[in-house]
Amino acid sequence: MTADLRKVRMGLQACLLGLFALILSGKCSYSPEPDQQRTLPPGWVSLGRADPEEELSLTFALRQQNLKRLSELVQAVSDPSSSQYGKYLTLDHVADLVRPSPLTLHTVQKWLLAAGARNCHSVITQDFLTCWLSIRQAELLLPGAEFHHYVGGTAETHVVRSPHPYQLPQALAPHVDFVGGLHRFPPTSSLRQRPEPQVAGTVGIHLGVTPNVIRKRYNLTAQDVGSGTSNNSQACAQFLEQYFRDSDLARFMRLFGGNFAHQASVARVVGQQGRGRAGIEASLDVQYLMSAGANISTWVYSSPGRHEGQEPFLQWLMLLSNESALPHVHTVSYGDDEDSLSSAYIQRVNTELMKAATRGLTLLFASGDSGAGCWSISGRHQFRPSFPASSPYVTTVGGTSFQNPFLITNEIVDYISGGGFSNVFPRPSYQEEAVAKFLNSSPHLPPSSYFNASGRAYPDVAALSDGYWVVSNSVPIPWVSGTSASTPVFGGLLSLINEHRILSGHPPLGFLNPRLYQQHGAGLFDVTHGCHESCLNEEVEGQGFCSGPGWDPVTGWGTPNFPALLKTLLNP
C-alpha cells in the first residue's frame, strides 16, 4: 500500500469512527461553543492552511461537578469570621469534589478514541484531557474548525489556530466546557521602557527603582527576609517564549542585593526552560519576586507554548491541578481583554482559580497596563476590563509612581495602572461596602455608560510600577515599567508574611481578598492622587477613574507598609 493510500485510508477510518460514535449517541446535529474568539488580533498574519497530516495537541476541559459547593468552600476557608478559616483542602479533596461524572469521562473518552486521538494525558482532578491528533482528525472531530498557521507578536511567535468556530456533537455539549488550542492567540507583553526623566542636581536622589528603593519605601529592614527553609515558597509564571537566565539573576543580585540576605538561584523550574535569549518580563518577575520575598525558596513555572497548538496559560492552570504540594504565593503577569474570550472559557478559568483558593494558594495577577482600557461597540466607547485581573478569586495588583520620580516620596497613580469593573462577574460580597462607598463619593466618575458599576471591581492593591532596573541578557536595563513589576513585589512581601505565620503555627494567607476588605486596607499606604488613562475621545478626554481616600479602581486599597501589613495579617 502506498503512503498516499495509507493516508486516505486513515482519514476515512477516522471519519467513519467519528460517524459511528455519533450514530451510537442518537444525535447527528451540532451545537457550537458560544462566543468563540474569531477576530484576528492586530499584528498577526496568516501563513495559510496547515498541512492535514501535521500533529497538534488539543486540551478538552471536561464538565465539573459541585461548583456551588466549591464556591461555598472558598468563602469558608478565606473568611476570617468563618470557623473553617485557614482549613484548606488538599488536591485529593478538590479532585473528589469537582471530578467529572463517570458518564462524562466515558462519553468524552469514547468520542476521542473513535476519532483517533492518541497520547492523551489527564490531571489529578481528571477535568482536563490533552490529546494529540493530526490536523485532519481535529477538523473531523470539531466540524467548522479550519487550522491555519499564523505568525505575530514582538517575538514573531508561530501558532496554529482556527479562524472559524468549531462545533461539538450535541451528545458531547453537556460534557465539554471548551476545547483549548483553537482560537486564543497569545497576548503581547505591555511592559514598557520609559524615557529617563530629567532632573537638575544629584543630591539625595535615586536613579531608578531597585530592591533597596523598594525596601526603603515599604519600610523593610535587613532582618525582613526569609529563613531559607523549604516549608515556605513562592512562584512566578512565565509564558510566550519568555525565559529568565540564572546568570542574569546572579548578576542582578550582585548589583542590587548586597544589603539583605537573598538566594541567587531559582529552587525549581516547572516545565521547559528555553535556551534562547532572556525576556525582560520573565527577568523582571524572577528578580523582583526574589528580592522582595528575599531568601525564600522560589519556583518558576515555565510554559513557553513552544508547540504551535499550545496555550501557555491553560498549561499553567493544568500544572496547578496536577501538583499536590505547591508554593503558597503565585504571581502572574498575564491578561486578556474580557471581551476577547468566550464565556465558556472565562467561566471555566474562573473555576480553576476557585480550586486554587480552596487549597490556600494566594494568586496575584497584574491589573494590566492600559488604564481603564477602551473599545468601541456600535460606535459607542466603553472601558475595557482585563481577565484574569477581573476574577473575583484573585488578588489584583495595580501600579504607582513616586510623586517625585527621583525621590523616595509618597506615591501617586501610575497612569497605565489597569483597573475598572468586570462586564462578566458580578461584584463579590466581600467588596460591596468599599466599592459602593467609592461610587457614591468619587467626584470624578466617568459617564455611567462607560462601565458596569455592578461588576467585580479591581485592582485590590498596588505597588510601584514605574522606572525599574532589570538585568536581561547580561545587560542592566533602566526605566522598565508596568504592573508586571508591581505584582511580584507585592507577592514577595506576602511571602515574607507567610514566613512569620508559618513559624507561628498559623496557616498561610491563602485567598487574601475577604480579609483585605474586612480590614479596610489596614497596613497599606492609601494612594489618593492621580487618574489612569482611558478612551481618547471628547467625552472623557483620555481619563478613566481617579484615586481617592480608601479603595479605588486604580490602586485598590494602596501600597504596602510592610511592618503595619505584617502586624495586620500575622494572626488569624
Side-chain angles (χ1 to χ4, degrees):
M1 184 183 296
T2 66
D4 287 342
L5 285 175
R6 187 178 295 111
K7 290 179 181 178
V8 170
R9 180 174 176 179
M10 288 174 63
L12 288 171
Q13 183 182 34
C15 184
L16 289 170
L17 284 169
L19 288 171
F20 179 63
L22 289 176
I23 291 168
L24 284 178
S25 72
K27 302 279 188 178
C28 289
S29 55
Y30 293 81
S31 57
E33 175 194 336
D35 307 324
Q36 294 173 50
Q37 174 183 296
R38 297 187 294 276
T39 303
L40 188 65
W44 289 87
V45 177
S46 173
L47 302 179
R49 288 288 298 270
D51 183 342
E53 302 309 317
E54 186 176 342
E55 300 280 309
L56 85 163
S57 66
L58 295 177
T59 297
F60 301 85
L62 278 59
R63 188 69 49 85
Q64 299 153 314
Q65 300 189 96
N66 303 314
L67 298 188
K68 182 179 179 181
R69 178 58 180 156
L70 183 70
S71 176
E72 293 169 350
L73 285 168
V74 173
Q75 179 68 19
V77 301
S78 306
D79 184 348
S81 64
S82 166
S83 61
Q84 295 297 110
Y85 179 65
K87 296 178 181 179
Y88 304 125
L89 276 65
T90 66
L91 179 57
D92 287 339
H93 287 147
V94 173
D96 290 341
L97 187 68
V98 304
R99 182 180 292 113
S101 69
L103 176 61
T104 291
L105 293 171
H106 175 75
T107 303
V108 174
Q109 289 167 0
K110 179 180 176 182
W111 175 56
L112 292 173
L113 181 64
R118 56 202 167 276
N119 296 331
C120 293
H121 299 282
S122 188
V123 293
I124 289 174
T125 49
Q126 294 185 261
D127 46 6
F128 283 110
L129 196 60
T130 299
C131 298
W132 285 86
L133 303 96
S134 69
I135 297 288
R136 187 192 308 279
Q137 290 170 329
E139 291 179 349
L140 288 168
L141 184 73
L142 302 167
E146 183 182 284
F147 290 92
H148 291 240
H149 282 279
Y150 293 91
V151 63
T154 54
E156 292 292 294
T157 304
H158 287 258
V159 299
V160 174
R161 295 291 187 268
S162 171
H164 306 299
Y166 66 87
Q167 296 174 313
L168 285 172
Q170 279 190 354
L172 270 296
H175 303 291
V176 177
D177 286 332
F178 69 87
V179 183
L182 282 92
H183 296 123
R184 284 164 287 278
F185 285 80
T188 56
S189 172
S190 56
L191 203 63
R192 313 180 186 189
Q193 187 176 9
R194 296 180 183 169
E196 180 178 344
Q198 300 301 308
V199 64
T202 59
V203 178
I205 68 170
H206 68 83
L207 296 176
V209 176
T210 65
N212 285 331
V213 170
I214 288 169
R215 296 180 77 84
K216 184 173 181 181
R217 167 56 187 158
Y218 297 143
N219 292 323
L220 282 84
T221 69
Q223 286 70 47
D224 290 319
V225 295
S227 63
T229 59
S230 60
N231 63 342
N232 186 25
S233 55
Q234 58 190 0
C236 60
Q238 58 186 29
F239 308 117
L240 313 177
E241 298 295 340
Q242 282 280 332
Y243 310 107
F244 78 97
R245 288 173 58 177
D246 285 319
S247 58
D248 288 339
L249 175 60
R251 185 171 190 195
F252 177 85
M253 289 301 185
R254 285 196 301 271
L255 287 171
F256 303 119
N259 296 330
F260 55 91
H262 60 266
Q263 297 185 9
S265 62
V266 168
R268 181 179 174 188
V269 175
V270 182
Q272 294 178 315
Q273 168 72 350
R275 298 181 179 178
R277 289 177 59 81
I280 292 180
E281 186 149 351
S283 303
L284 176 75
D285 288 343
V286 172
Q287 289 164 19
Y288 281 90
L289 180 61
M290 293 185 67
S291 54
N295 210 37
I296 289 175
S297 177
T298 302
W299 297 17
V300 173
Y301 283 84
S302 184
S303 303
R306 192 174 299 142
H307 184 270
E308 295 180 338
Q310 292 172 341
E311 293 184 32
F313 182 64
L314 199 54
Q315 284 185 293
W316 175 73
L317 290 173
M318 291 169 64
L319 286 170
L320 295 187
S321 284
N322 217 28
E323 286 269 357
S324 56
L326 292 169
H328 302 307
V329 173
H330 296 251
T331 73
V332 186
S333 303
Y334 168 90
D336 271 311
D337 297 323
E338 268 190 352
D339 57 90
S340 73
L341 303 169
S342 78
S343 58
Y345 178 87
I346 204 169
Q347 294 292 347
R348 175 56 185 267
V349 169
N350 197 53
T351 299
E352 297 306 306
L353 302 173
M354 289 168 60
K355 285 162 59 179
T358 63
R359 297 173 64 192
L361 304 184
T362 303
L363 303 185
L364 295 104
F365 277 80
S367 69
D369 299 336
S370 301
C374 186
W375 67 318
S376 180
I377 307 172
S378 302
R380 291 189 59 83
H381 288 92
Q382 290 185 5
F383 295 159
R384 195 173 200 181
S386 175
F387 180 80
S390 65
S391 167
Y393 298 104
V394 303
T395 299
T396 305
V397 186
T400 61
S401 304
F402 282 125
Q403 193 164 7
N404 182 321
F406 289 98
L407 296 176
I408 301 176
T409 58
N410 291 335
E411 293 162 74
I412 60 173
V413 168
D414 186 346
Y415 67 92
I416 57 111
S417 179
F421 295 78
S422 173
N423 290 321
V424 176
F425 302 106
R427 185 189 306 166
S429 59
Y430 61 73
Q431 64 171 191
E432 182 66 44
E433 178 186 350
V435 176
K437 183 177 180 180
F438 169 80
L439 292 172
N440 292 330
S441 63
S442 175
H444 304 293
L445 278 182
S448 60
S449 61
Y450 277 72
F451 65 100
N452 172 29
S454 64
R456 154 44 166 162
Y458 70 96
D460 305 296
V461 293
L464 284 164
S465 57
D466 184 22
Y468 278 68
W469 280 90
V470 182
V471 175
S472 187
N473 299 299
S474 303
V475 179
I477 301 171
W479 303 108
V480 175
S481 301
T483 53
S484 296
S486 56
T487 306
V489 166
F490 207 101
L493 299 189
L494 292 182
S495 291
L496 293 180
I497 294 172
N498 271 339
E499 184 89 358
H500 285 270
R501 287 180 60 87
I502 291 167
L503 292 174
S504 300
H506 303 316
L509 287 166
F511 175 44
L512 186 62
N513 289 11
R515 181 166 186 162
L516 181 71
Y517 283 82
Q518 280 185 27
Q519 296 177 337
H520 300 95
L524 299 169
F525 292 119
D526 196 4
V527 179
T528 59
H529 293 91
C531 309
H532 64 182
E533 62 186 359
S534 72
C535 302
L536 290 170
N537 62 2
E538 292 182 359
E539 195 168 17
V540 297
E541 298 180 334
Q543 181 174 293
F545 298 99
C546 297
S547 64
W551 179 90
D552 57 69
V554 191
T555 59
W557 287 106
T559 63
N561 177 6
F562 182 75
L565 191 61
L566 174 61
K567 183 178 179 180
T568 298
L569 297 178
L570 178 58
N571 294 312

